[in-house]
Amino acid sequence: MHVSVHPVFATNLATKVSSNRFYRNVSRRRNGSSSVKCSVETTEADRSVKLKNGNDSLEICRVLNGMWQTSGGWGKIDRNDAVEAMLQYADSGLSTFDMADHYGPAEDLYGIFINRVRRERPPEYLEKIKGLTKWVPPPVKMTSSYVRQNIDISRKRMDVASLDMLQFHWWDYANDGYLDALKHLTDLKEEGKIKTVALTNFDTERLQKILENGIPVVSNQVQHSIVDMRPQQRMAQLCELTGVKLITYGTVMGGLLSEKFLDTNLTIPFAGPRLNTPSLQKYKRMVDAWGGWNLFQGLLRTMKSIATKHGVSIPTVAVRYVLNQQGVAGSMIGVRLGLAEHIQDANAIFSLVLDDEDVNSIQDVTKKGKNLLQVIGDCGDEYRRI
């Protein structure tokens, strides 16, 4: 099986970054580590970024529209309203959509949306639209025909000849079939059915192994927020060395990092906003692991002060902070299509500049929290611990 190899990996990556050497040299920084802007090719005043590996490249908007919210649990989605909302986001410049094979109707909605774009918008508009999807298979034998069949399903649902990006997830590291799957995905990329191959929720050790096997991944999508700074403790250094970029989700913690939860007390039943979505419930558990609700309130008050200073919202500050971190190419904001919108807040991210005072005030709070790398493990470990 032929697998194209980026020149940077033509030399022995294991020699350059052996596991022992890599982990010896990793700085065991806590959550309050200094903000470092990643070296990444940006255009349109920080609005877009080009992900690259060898001859593979894909330009995306640095603020991505996350479509997990179409899968149920956030309110009933009307198809027509959802597609109309996608057009509104794209018209405003928020032109990159992230979905998965298991996000309910997300891929189908994208297929309807992209056909509307083809009919109703000019060709140069269509070129800016990007649809990133994920494949999350069970850990069965990864044959070429099995991989091809599943990718063809996404291509058909999204109504595209070639997927802009296929982000691959794997549940069980004890089963190294993920390497077979990624080699088959790389073959499909060579055939033109996928433009770029990427990962989601892989840890640093496995990312290194994948790169050593010559898989030309361009990015790894991981959980990353002001509260969850795990990607900056190991993953970002490997990304800096290899050129792989991070796409982050959970960056506004399902909405917890917002004015809605400022000065609330969730310990008293019915006293505060309800945690009535899967994302709110998920990230409340992350808050509990990090330092609890009282410390989180201190963080929200600090972020509100920064937001007021700059004339923006708390979520805007939250995303900008993470976009400034090492290796981060883009950050996700979940969209409840047809039910709510945050276009203005999202677009404000691009012009927001956090100064040293802002960064230091945030880190004065976050350094009081626990090191989630020690509590949970590396990126993606929250999905694999029994």
Side-chain angles (χ1 to χ4, degrees):
M1 179 183 301
H2 170 71
V3 179
S4 62
V5 182
H6 188 297
V8 75
F9 307 128
T11 57
N12 189 347
L13 184 61
T15 300
K16 289 179 66 179
V17 198
S18 69
S19 294
N20 288 341
R21 176 182 174 189
F22 176 74
Y23 287 111
R24 281 200 307 269
N25 290 338
V26 167
S27 171
R28 303 298 179 183
R29 293 176 293 173
R30 291 184 60 85
N31 293 17
S33 61
S34 296
S35 170
V36 180
K37 289 192 175 182
C38 63
S39 56
V40 58
E41 181 179 336
T42 59
T43 58
E44 293 182 32
D46 198 41
R47 177 173 287 274
S48 62
V49 60
K50 186 174 289 187
L51 307 174
K52 297 187 294 185
N53 190 326
N55 294 325
D56 303 336
S57 67
L58 188 71
E59 188 170 309
I60 64 171
C61 181
R62 292 199 73 195
V63 176
L64 297 88
N65 305 311
M67 295 179 66
W68 181 30
Q69 284 75 5
T70 66
S71 62
W74 288 265
K76 185 177 180 180
I77 298 291
D78 176 85
R79 184 185 70 176
N80 294 331
D81 291 345
V83 172
E84 195 65 39
M86 292 175 75
L87 285 167
Q88 292 173 8
Y89 276 92
D91 286 344
S92 75
L94 301 167
S95 55
T96 301
F97 297 84
D98 178 89
M99 63 212 85
D101 59 340
H102 63 290
Y103 287 2
E107 290 184 334
D108 302 300
L109 290 171
Y110 183 85
I112 300 169
F113 158 74
I114 202 66
N115 271 294
R116 286 277 304 272
V117 171
R118 289 167 182 152
R119 294 194 309 266
E120 302 172 13
R121 301 293 190 274
E124 58 269 22
Y125 182 108
L126 177 61
E127 292 175 3
K128 293 183 179 295
I129 304 298
K130 300 298 187 296
L132 286 50
T133 195
K134 306 181 194 74
W135 183 39
V136 186
V140 299
K141 185 172 179 61
M142 292 287 114
T143 64
S144 176
S145 60
Y146 180 77
V147 174
R148 181 181 300 270
Q149 176 185 1
N150 281 276
I151 297 312
D152 283 345
I153 292 172
S154 288
R155 290 171 58 235
K156 182 177 181 180
R157 292 180 68 190
M158 295 173 68
D159 200 10
V160 293
S162 179
L163 299 175
D164 290 323
M165 177 185 286
L166 190 284
Q167 300 166 103
F168 178 70
H169 175 91
W170 191 250
W171 293 106
D172 182 11
Y173 291 147
N175 178 347
D176 64 3
Y178 63 89
L179 291 173
D180 295 327
L182 285 164
K183 290 174 182 178
H184 295 316
L185 290 171
T186 302
D187 287 343
L188 291 175
K189 178 186 69 68
E190 296 298 327
E191 293 178 21
K193 293 189 174 184
I194 300 170
K195 294 177 183 174
T196 53
V197 175
L199 306 173
T200 181
N201 291 317
F202 273 81
D203 65 8
T204 310
E205 179 183 348
R206 253 57 60 160
L207 173 59
Q208 181 180 331
K209 183 175 181 179
I210 288 165
L211 295 174
E212 289 171 350
N213 275 269
I215 308 299
V217 299
V218 298
S219 62
N220 185 22
Q221 187 177 135
V222 295
Q223 183 173 296
H224 193 351
S225 68
I226 288 179
V227 166
D228 186 1
M229 295 292 288
R230 288 177 296 156
Q232 294 303 310
Q233 297 179 267
R234 291 180 181 172
M235 181 71 65
Q237 294 194 21
L238 181 59
C239 289
E240 186 73 13
L241 175 67
T242 61
V244 173
K245 299 302 176 186
L246 299 176
I247 296 175
T248 75
Y249 66 88
T251 308
V252 297
M253 304 188 73
L256 288 178
L257 285 170
S258 70
E259 282 79 0
K260 181 178 180 179
F261 287 91
L262 177 64
D263 296 327
T264 61
N265 186 352
L266 298 186
T267 63
I268 303 175
F270 310 109
R274 291 192 301 157
L275 302 178
N276 57 354
T277 68
S279 51
L280 285 173
Q281 294 160 12
K282 172 183 179 180
Y283 295 114
K284 172 56 166 61
R285 292 193 292 272
M286 198 63 55
V287 168
D288 293 340
W290 171 69
W293 195 249
N294 287 336
L295 181 58
F296 186 70
Q297 284 298 308
L299 177 60
L300 284 179
R301 285 190 291 270
T302 296
M303 294 178 68
K304 178 59 177 176
S305 176
I306 296 169
T308 300
K309 168 184 168 182
H310 292 283
V312 297
S313 68
I314 290 176
T316 297
V317 174
V319 177
R320 181 73 262 175
Y321 186 89
V322 171
L323 282 177
N324 286 354
Q325 301 303 308
Q326 184 179 28
V328 176
S331 291
M332 199 92 54
I333 301 179
V335 289
R336 299 176 62 195
L337 299 170
L339 299 175
E341 63 90 5
H342 47 249
I343 291 173
Q344 183 176 347
D345 283 350
N347 272 319
I349 294 165
F350 301 114
S351 58
L352 175 61
V353 177
L354 298 177
D355 58 33
D356 290 342
E357 181 184 16
D358 301 329
V359 172
N360 291 335
S361 63
I362 289 172
Q363 293 177 357
D364 283 344
V365 181
T366 57
K367 68 184 180 183
K368 299 174 184 176
K370 295 178 182 177
N371 184 343
L372 290 181
L373 184 70
Q374 296 176 359
V375 176
I376 300 171
D378 201 3
C379 300
D381 282 358
E382 61 269 30
Y383 296 101
R384 297 179 178 90
R385 288 197 167 188
I386 299 175

